[in-house]
Amino acid sequence: MRICFVCSGNICRSPSAEIVMRALVERAELADEIEVCSAGIGDWHVGEQADPRSSEALTARGYDASSHRARQFGREWFDDHDLVIAMDRTHLRDLRRMADASDQGKVRLMTSFGPDATDKDVPDPYYGGPAGFTDVRDLIERYCAALLDEVRPRLHA
């Protein structure tokens, strides 16, 4: 199973989701079965590290964001991924516009997983202070856990 998380520039929300999800997958001993990556809709930050505030929020929980480099999502990525997870409804709309009819089912909103599923956005912390990055990390941890619970039964189906 290949999962890609997508936000605007791939320096805040989507790399946080990638890093958290990878840690959950490794703890569950499923790294051989689930691959995780992230990308941005735009190319503004390609090659850059995660936003330092995002990295700090992750480091505070024991995650390592040091190897992240921003990438841009392309239409061809749908061929290589089973799920493409949008951080907000704008990304969801943009991804659905990029996706062929056969790939529409791969596109999901991050907050659509688990018992707390909703159609709300993971808020963009970029223009705020450190607390916003901590809040986003907490949301992402909750929804990544729910995502793992949802995909785990599909691995051996």
mmCIF file of all heavy atoms in Angstrom, residues 83-87 92 95-96 104-110 112-114 150 154:
data_model
loop_
_atom_site.group_PDB
_atom_site.id
_atom_site.type_symbol
_atom_site.label_atom_id
_atom_site.label_comp_id
_atom_site.label_asym_id
_atom_site.label_seq_id
_atom_site.Cartn_x
_atom_site.Cartn_y
_atom_site.Cartn_z
ATOM 1 N N LEU A 83 -3.568 5.598 -2.028
ATOM 2 C CA LEU A 83 -4.323 6.659 -1.365
ATOM 3 C C LEU A 83 -3.545 7.967 -1.486
ATOM 4 O O LEU A 83 -2.331 7.986 -1.284
ATOM 5 C CB LEU A 83 -4.526 6.350 0.122
ATOM 6 C CG LEU A 83 -5.583 5.341 0.502
ATOM 7 C CD1 LEU A 83 -5.502 5.029 1.999
ATOM 8 C CD2 LEU A 83 -6.973 5.864 0.162
ATOM 9 N N VAL A 84 -4.269 9.024 -1.788
ATOM 10 C CA VAL A 84 -3.705 10.376 -1.825
ATOM 11 C C VAL A 84 -4.557 11.199 -0.866
ATOM 12 O O VAL A 84 -5.741 11.418 -1.105
ATOM 13 C CB VAL A 84 -3.724 10.957 -3.249
ATOM 14 C CG1 VAL A 84 -3.167 12.373 -3.266
ATOM 15 C CG2 VAL A 84 -2.941 10.058 -4.211
ATOM 16 N N ILE A 85 -3.927 11.609 0.237
ATOM 17 C CA ILE A 85 -4.656 12.209 1.348
ATOM 18 C C ILE A 85 -4.460 13.725 1.354
ATOM 19 O O ILE A 85 -3.339 14.218 1.536
ATOM 20 C CB ILE A 85 -4.189 11.629 2.695
ATOM 21 C CG1 ILE A 85 -4.179 10.096 2.667
ATOM 22 C CG2 ILE A 85 -5.028 12.184 3.839
ATOM 23 C CD1 ILE A 85 -5.513 9.457 2.462
ATOM 24 N N ALA A 86 -5.533 14.458 1.179
ATOM 25 C CA ALA A 86 -5.524 15.923 1.163
ATOM 26 C C ALA A 86 -5.662 16.465 2.586
ATOM 27 O O ALA A 86 -6.468 15.955 3.374
ATOM 28 C CB ALA A 86 -6.673 16.449 0.305
ATOM 29 N N MET A 87 -4.894 17.493 2.895
ATOM 30 C CA MET A 87 -4.953 18.098 4.226
ATOM 31 C C MET A 87 -6.144 19.035 4.403
ATOM 32 O O MET A 87 -6.597 19.243 5.519
ATOM 33 C CB MET A 87 -3.662 18.873 4.523
ATOM 34 C CG MET A 87 -2.441 18.002 4.650
ATOM 35 S SD MET A 87 -2.509 16.906 6.083
ATOM 36 C CE MET A 87 -2.590 15.340 5.259
ATOM 37 N N LEU A 92 -8.151 18.872 -1.627
ATOM 38 C CA LEU A 92 -9.039 17.804 -2.084
ATOM 39 C C LEU A 92 -9.611 18.154 -3.454
ATOM 40 O O LEU A 92 -9.580 17.334 -4.383
ATOM 41 C CB LEU A 92 -10.156 17.591 -1.062
ATOM 42 C CG LEU A 92 -11.129 16.452 -1.310
ATOM 43 C CD1 LEU A 92 -10.451 15.107 -1.108
ATOM 44 C CD2 LEU A 92 -12.333 16.577 -0.374
ATOM 45 N N LEU A 95 -6.768 18.055 -6.106
ATOM 46 C CA LEU A 95 -6.384 16.681 -6.426
ATOM 47 C C LEU A 95 -7.454 15.979 -7.257
ATOM 48 O O LEU A 95 -7.130 15.238 -8.196
ATOM 49 C CB LEU A 95 -6.101 15.898 -5.142
ATOM 50 C CG LEU A 95 -4.828 16.307 -4.409
ATOM 51 C CD1 LEU A 95 -4.816 15.757 -2.990
ATOM 52 C CD2 LEU A 95 -3.589 15.855 -5.181
ATOM 53 N N ARG A 96 -8.710 16.219 -6.938
ATOM 54 C CA ARG A 96 -9.788 15.597 -7.718
ATOM 55 C C ARG A 96 -9.810 16.130 -9.147
ATOM 56 O O ARG A 96 -10.141 15.395 -10.082
ATOM 57 C CB ARG A 96 -11.125 15.793 -7.020
ATOM 58 C CG ARG A 96 -11.245 14.881 -5.819
ATOM 59 C CD ARG A 96 -12.622 14.881 -5.226
ATOM 60 N NE ARG A 96 -12.706 13.864 -4.181
ATOM 61 C CZ ARG A 96 -13.504 13.944 -3.142
ATOM 62 N NH1 ARG A 96 -14.316 14.978 -2.988
ATOM 63 N NH2 ARG A 96 -13.514 12.981 -2.245
ATOM 64 N N GLN A 104 -10.272 8.770 -8.818
ATOM 65 C CA GLN A 104 -11.046 9.589 -7.891
ATOM 66 C C GLN A 104 -11.182 8.942 -6.514
ATOM 67 O O GLN A 104 -11.123 9.611 -5.492
ATOM 68 C CB GLN A 104 -12.440 9.901 -8.460
ATOM 69 C CG GLN A 104 -12.425 10.809 -9.664
ATOM 70 C CD GLN A 104 -11.978 12.219 -9.339
ATOM 71 O OE1 GLN A 104 -12.316 12.777 -8.299
ATOM 72 N NE2 GLN A 104 -11.202 12.800 -10.232
ATOM 73 N N GLY A 105 -11.331 7.630 -6.471
ATOM 74 C CA GLY A 105 -11.504 6.916 -5.208
ATOM 75 C C GLY A 105 -10.259 6.889 -4.345
ATOM 76 O O GLY A 105 -10.334 6.566 -3.160
ATOM 77 N N LYS A 106 -9.113 7.230 -4.917
ATOM 78 C CA LYS A 106 -7.859 7.272 -4.159
ATOM 79 C C LYS A 106 -7.737 8.534 -3.319
ATOM 80 O O LYS A 106 -6.935 8.581 -2.401
ATOM 81 C CB LYS A 106 -6.656 7.219 -5.104
ATOM 82 C CG LYS A 106 -6.533 5.939 -5.888
ATOM 83 C CD LYS A 106 -5.323 6.007 -6.811
ATOM 84 C CE LYS A 106 -5.152 4.717 -7.583
ATOM 85 N NZ LYS A 106 -3.924 4.742 -8.408
ATOM 86 N N VAL A 107 -8.501 9.561 -3.661
ATOM 87 C CA VAL A 107 -8.365 10.871 -3.029
ATOM 88 C C VAL A 107 -9.311 10.976 -1.841
ATOM 89 O O VAL A 107 -10.527 10.807 -1.977
ATOM 90 C CB VAL A 107 -8.649 12.004 -4.042
ATOM 91 C CG1 VAL A 107 -8.461 13.362 -3.397
ATOM 92 C CG2 VAL A 107 -7.771 11.867 -5.276
ATOM 93 N N ARG A 108 -8.726 11.242 -0.680
ATOM 94 C CA ARG A 108 -9.504 11.367 0.563
ATOM 95 C C ARG A 108 -9.023 12.579 1.348
ATOM 96 O O ARG A 108 -7.868 13.003 1.218
ATOM 97 C CB ARG A 108 -9.326 10.124 1.440
ATOM 98 C CG ARG A 108 -9.823 8.814 0.869
ATOM 99 C CD ARG A 108 -11.274 8.514 1.156
ATOM 100 N NE ARG A 108 -11.620 8.522 2.562
ATOM 101 C CZ ARG A 108 -11.620 7.455 3.361
ATOM 102 N NH1 ARG A 108 -11.229 6.279 2.912
ATOM 103 N NH2 ARG A 108 -11.979 7.565 4.623
ATOM 104 N N LEU A 109 -9.891 13.089 2.184
ATOM 105 C CA LEU A 109 -9.560 14.169 3.099
ATOM 106 C C LEU A 109 -8.985 13.571 4.381
ATOM 107 O O LEU A 109 -9.496 12.563 4.892
ATOM 108 C CB LEU A 109 -10.818 14.978 3.410
ATOM 109 C CG LEU A 109 -10.669 16.265 4.211
ATOM 110 C CD1 LEU A 109 -9.813 17.292 3.473
ATOM 111 C CD2 LEU A 109 -12.047 16.841 4.515
ATOM 112 N N MET A 110 -7.931 14.153 4.902
ATOM 113 C CA MET A 110 -7.251 13.624 6.098
ATOM 114 C C MET A 110 -8.221 13.366 7.247
ATOM 115 O O MET A 110 -8.119 12.372 7.948
ATOM 116 C CB MET A 110 -6.159 14.615 6.534
ATOM 117 C CG MET A 110 -5.381 14.175 7.734
ATOM 118 S SD MET A 110 -4.313 12.801 7.291
ATOM 119 C CE MET A 110 -3.601 12.414 8.852
ATOM 120 N N SER A 112 -11.205 12.475 7.219
ATOM 121 C CA SER A 112 -12.318 11.573 6.898
ATOM 122 C C SER A 112 -12.143 10.169 7.476
ATOM 123 O O SER A 112 -12.948 9.284 7.191
ATOM 124 C CB SER A 112 -12.486 11.481 5.372
ATOM 125 O OG SER A 112 -11.404 10.788 4.781
ATOM 126 N N PHE A 113 -11.129 9.973 8.294
ATOM 127 C CA PHE A 113 -10.846 8.646 8.833
ATOM 128 C C PHE A 113 -11.244 8.533 10.304
ATOM 129 O O PHE A 113 -11.079 9.479 11.067
ATOM 130 C CB PHE A 113 -9.354 8.317 8.685
ATOM 131 C CG PHE A 113 -8.913 8.262 7.257
ATOM 132 C CD1 PHE A 113 -8.343 9.359 6.642
ATOM 133 C CD2 PHE A 113 -9.112 7.104 6.511
ATOM 134 C CE1 PHE A 113 -7.953 9.317 5.321
ATOM 135 C CE2 PHE A 113 -8.729 7.050 5.178
ATOM 136 C CZ PHE A 113 -8.152 8.166 4.584
ATOM 137 N N GLY A 114 -11.733 7.352 10.675
ATOM 138 C CA GLY A 114 -11.958 7.031 12.077
ATOM 139 C C GLY A 114 -13.279 7.490 12.642
ATOM 140 O O GLY A 114 -14.112 8.068 11.948
ATOM 141 N N GLU A 150 -7.861 1.856 9.406
ATOM 142 C CA GLU A 150 -8.689 1.590 8.232
ATOM 143 C C GLU A 150 -7.969 0.788 7.162
ATOM 144 O O GLU A 150 -8.545 -0.089 6.531
ATOM 145 C CB GLU A 150 -9.211 2.900 7.619
ATOM 146 C CG GLU A 150 -10.137 2.654 6.467
ATOM 147 C CD GLU A 150 -10.853 3.896 5.980
ATOM 148 O OE1 GLU A 150 -11.326 4.691 6.812
ATOM 149 O OE2 GLU A 150 -10.945 4.069 4.752
ATOM 150 N N ARG A 154 -7.080 -4.061 4.833
ATOM 151 C CA ARG A 154 -6.953 -4.171 3.382
ATOM 152 C C ARG A 154 -5.633 -4.826 2.945
ATOM 153 O O ARG A 154 -5.509 -5.243 1.803
ATOM 154 C CB ARG A 154 -7.015 -2.789 2.729
ATOM 155 C CG ARG A 154 -8.342 -2.134 2.828
ATOM 156 C CD ARG A 154 -8.361 -0.977 1.860
ATOM 157 N NE ARG A 154 -8.832 0.228 2.502
ATOM 158 C CZ ARG A 154 -8.737 1.420 1.976
ATOM 159 N NH1 ARG A 154 -8.145 1.590 0.816
ATOM 160 N NH2 ARG A 154 -9.205 2.464 2.613
#
